[in-house]
Amino acid sequence: MEADRVRRQEGEVRLNWWNEGLQLKLRIHPAGLALAALYAIACWGARQLSFDQFYLPAGIRVAALLLCPPRLWPYLLLGEYAYFAQIRYPLIEKYGIAWVILASTLLMPAVMLIVHRSGQLMSRSTNAGLLAIAAAASVVVTLTNLGLSHALWPSPPSDSLTAFLTRAGRFTTGDFLGILTVAPLALVWAARHADPTLKPGHRGITTLALVSMIVLGIMAAWMPDDSAAARTSVQLLLGLPAVVLTCLHGWKGAAVGVPLLNLMIGLSMPKPYPATFDATVLATQQVMAITGIALLLLGARISQYHRRYRQRESSEQKAISLARSSHVASEMELRERAISLRKLGDGIDLSLTEVVNWLTSQGHQSIANSLLHTATVHSRLFREQASMVYPTALEQLGLYVALQAGGVRAAWNGTHRVVDPRLSGDPCKLSLDLQLLAYRTLIDAVSLMLKHETGQIVVRTRCVRGRGQRGIVMTVALLDPHRALSSDTGELAADRLAGRMLAFAGTVRTRHNRIRMLLVEPSSERLSTSGHGRAEPQAASPSAWSRTRA
């Protein structure tokens, strides 16, 4: 019973479909119709400048598919049909309605399928994907056009195989050059926000290359017909500015230089109408097509290496920024410890003073004096050690005062091997972070020399400024100029000091009897308030074939 009821319902559904029909919802947007009209007008205008061996509507077709999302492709198909209706309706009586319909409806869907299938290749390599689309589309469109004409024309062209292949090669070259002339510009437009800036030094060279291409193209177009050899030479010279653009701007430079190269050569045809054929220009175009392929691939490779360089440079800058932040954080922690030690020392001094006063009041003057002397010495040593944890004097008085009045100077004097430092320049113009790093690095370098070398040691520092930067040069050297540092000392200096220097783009070099260190910071770096309480940086006739091409 249940099965009978289901069959009756299915029969009712079929009857309702037969009586009521199918309901299809089709939305047509005015913007889509405007896109279709714009596409048809662009194809018509491009055809007025095209020839069999330089066919721009093929480039318009591929460029439109690359620029528009798939949801707008039906409107492009509508525009394609409107374009074909305008140019092929008058040909119905001569070539038949079957050819007009099929030859007009198959081309755009075939190219749509090619562009859709090449999506993954385009995502991996833009120029390689474009070349694959250009090659496949030009071959498919040419074979479809020629095959349908031989199959559907009332009087098919009776050509030999050689003539057919020659015509197919010419049409394929024309479509390929048309695609390489228009489609790369569409890709540049689509990626206009990816890297919109030019380097200031490249702006003038880029302008010169573009102007030279235009001038050479005009020269080739205005040359008389009897100077074919000179025209060919000028056309070949057009490749040099395209190479310059590719080297400067990678795939974007190639995507601008190659279309301009093809356009200048195409417009230099002696008779610009669709039936034109010039064997000399065709040979030049074939050479330039190969050149364009090479430039697009070279541009893609240059852009790839440039992108890798930018990523590596960004990673290095991030690592340097992290190292600098880590340095600042560690210095802040040491500063808090030094402040705590100073408070602790003040408390101990206060307690000892009270004890000394009580002993004095009780008549124990000698014990009080002895205790006061011992407390004074130990208090001084305690404060010197606290200053080596973090030089608080550096914040108010600068690097040189911290080196001359702090605990580090007492420690150096205690070795009897470090002569008076030779300090020049004004370190207070440097940021606090750089001064702290210079302080730490200089102490480590002197300690390294004291531990692994013998003889007197001299410390020299000099604040420098030039080329928009400022910094400090520090040298820790043996006083005896005839002695050289051991290889172990040089290796230890590179291992222990280089890591700190990277935070401020510094360098460490070991030469003969000295260790030379350079710390640099940009002089134009914007200052901000740091946690330290001080500012720091941050057989048809040619005419018939031309009329039927698409």
Side-chain angles (χ1 to χ4, degrees):
M1 297 294 293
E2 183 66 23
D4 294 339
R5 187 173 62 84
V6 171
R7 282 195 295 270
R8 283 197 304 269
Q9 291 178 353
E10 291 178 353
E12 292 176 358
V13 170
R14 296 192 190 100
L15 184 59
N16 291 335
W17 172 82
W18 181 262
N19 292 331
E20 298 178 3
L22 294 176
Q23 183 179 2
L24 298 178
K25 293 183 179 180
L26 181 62
R27 294 182 179 179
I28 298 178
H29 297 279
L33 295 178
L35 176 63
L38 179 62
Y39 175 79
I41 294 173
C43 288
W44 177 84
R47 191 173 188 274
Q48 309 308 310
L49 300 175
S50 301
F51 331 104
D52 287 342
Q53 61 197 69
F54 182 65
Y55 204 70
L56 292 176
I60 298 292
R61 181 185 296 124
V62 173
L65 292 175
L66 291 175
L67 282 179
C68 298
R71 60 184 175 83
L72 297 179
W73 285 7
Y75 296 105
L76 297 179
L77 190 62
L78 180 62
E80 177 101 343
Y81 291 164
Y83 162 65
F84 279 137
Q86 182 268 333
I87 65 172
R88 287 187 172 175
Y89 179 77
L91 304 177
I92 292 179
E93 295 183 359
K94 185 174 182 179
Y95 298 107
I97 190 171
W99 173 82
V100 170
I101 294 176
L102 291 179
S104 302
T105 57
L106 295 180
L107 299 185
M108 177 62 96
V111 180
M112 284 180 176
L113 180 61
I114 292 172
V115 174
H116 177 70
R117 299 288 292 180
S118 303
Q120 293 183 353
L121 183 58
M122 288 286 293
S123 62
R124 291 196 300 267
S125 176
T126 302
N127 285 358
L130 176 61
L131 292 174
I133 292 173
S138 59
V139 171
V140 169
V141 169
T142 297
L143 293 180
T144 302
N145 272 329
L146 295 181
L148 291 177
S149 63
H150 280 78
L152 300 177
W153 278 10
S155 300
S158 56
D159 291 338
S160 62
L161 180 60
T162 304
F164 177 84
L165 294 177
T166 301
R167 187 177 295 110
R170 190 171 71 195
F171 290 171
T172 301
T173 301
D175 283 2
F176 187 80
L177 290 175
I179 295 173
L180 290 190
T181 302
V182 182
L185 298 177
L187 294 178
V188 172
W189 174 259
R192 63 190 181 278
H193 298 303
D195 189 10
T197 58
L198 290 176
K199 292 183 178 180
H202 294 171
R203 213 174 284 271
I205 302 176
T206 301
T207 303
L208 180 61
L210 293 174
V211 172
S212 62
M213 290 189 74
I214 296 174
V215 171
L216 291 174
I218 295 174
M219 290 175 57
W222 281 88
M223 283 186 174
D225 297 342
D226 55 355
S227 57
R231 182 190 296 115
T232 301
S233 300
V234 174
Q235 290 171 343
L236 292 176
L237 288 176
L238 287 168
L240 295 179
V243 173
V244 173
L245 291 175
T246 302
C247 294
L248 289 179
H249 306 291
W251 80 267
K252 286 188 176 181
V256 173
V258 171
L260 192 57
L261 172 66
N262 294 330
L263 185 63
M264 292 295 104
I265 294 177
L267 295 181
S268 64
M269 292 283 289
K271 297 176 181 179
Y273 53 83
T276 295
F277 174 71
D278 190 306
T280 304
V281 176
L282 177 62
T284 305
Q285 285 179 314
Q286 291 172 343
V287 173
M288 288 305 174
I290 297 175
T291 304
I293 294 173
L295 288 178
L296 288 173
L297 294 177
L298 175 62
R301 181 61 65 179
I302 291 175
S303 296
Q304 181 181 5
Y305 282 118
H306 179 68
R307 184 165 53 253
R308 291 179 181 177
Y309 170 77
R310 292 282 297 273
Q311 292 175 351
R312 184 174 60 186
E313 185 181 27
S314 177
S315 300
E316 291 177 354
Q317 292 296 330
K318 186 177 181 180
I320 292 175
S321 178
L322 290 175
R324 187 177 300 187
S325 300
S326 176
H327 167 73
V328 172
S330 62
E331 291 294 344
M332 286 291 294
E333 183 178 357
L334 292 176
R335 183 175 185 271
E336 295 299 326
R337 291 183 181 180
I339 292 175
S340 300
L341 289 175
R342 186 171 61 183
K343 292 180 179 179
L344 180 61
D346 292 341
I348 294 174
D349 290 346
L350 180 60
S351 300
L352 289 174
T353 302
E354 292 176 354
V355 171
V356 168
N357 292 335
W358 182 83
L359 289 174
T360 303
S361 64
Q362 296 297 322
H364 305 288
Q365 186 65 39
S366 60
I367 298 176
N369 292 337
S370 176
L371 181 60
L372 179 62
H373 174 74
T374 303
T376 302
V377 172
H378 285 83
S379 176
R380 177 176 56 81
L381 295 176
F382 180 83
R383 294 182 184 279
E384 288 177 354
Q385 293 300 317
S387 69
M388 294 186 69
V389 173
Y390 182 86
T392 54
L394 188 146
E395 294 185 2
Q396 290 79 26
L397 303 175
L399 172 65
Y400 289 171
V401 174
L403 290 175
Q404 292 177 318
V408 61
R409 181 61 183 275
W412 287 354
N413 291 337
T415 64
H416 304 289
R417 291 180 55 194
V418 181
V419 300
D420 292 339
R422 303 174 186 177
L423 314 175
S424 61
D426 185 5
C428 295
K429 295 181 180 180
L430 303 175
S431 66
L432 178 60
D433 288 343
L434 189 139
Q435 293 186 64
L436 283 171
L437 184 60
Y439 179 84
R440 302 296 185 191
T441 307
L442 199 58
I443 291 177
D444 289 347
V446 173
S447 300
L448 184 67
M449 294 281 283
L450 290 173
K451 184 176 181 181
H452 297 279
E453 298 293 335
T454 59
Q456 299 293 102
I457 298 173
V458 60
V459 176
R460 301 184 183 91
T461 63
R462 179 167 54 91
C463 297
V464 294
R465 181 169 183 171
R467 296 183 180 180
Q469 292 179 319
R470 60 194 177 203
I472 183 171
V473 180
M474 301 173 291
T475 302
V476 180
L478 296 175
L479 189 60
D480 186 358
H482 302 291
R483 290 186 54 195
L485 300 179
S486 64
S487 58
D488 293 340
T489 303
E491 294 177 359
L492 289 173
D495 293 340
R496 296 183 182 180
L497 304 179
R500 285 185 174 180
M501 310 298 285
L502 289 176
F504 280 83
T507 58
V508 178
R509 294 182 181 179
T510 303
R511 291 184 178 179
H512 189 54
N513 68 329
R514 64 177 61 88
I515 300 175
R516 185 179 183 273
M517 297 156 288
L518 171 65
L519 290 174
V520 179
E521 66 178 354
S523 62
S524 60
E525 195 170 25
R526 185 175 296 180
L527 299 180
S528 61
T529 303
S530 71
H532 301 147
R534 179 175 171 177
E536 62 170 317
Q538 313 288 346
S541 64
S543 59
W545 281 107
S546 300
R547 286 196 302 270
T548 61
R549 289 205 58 205

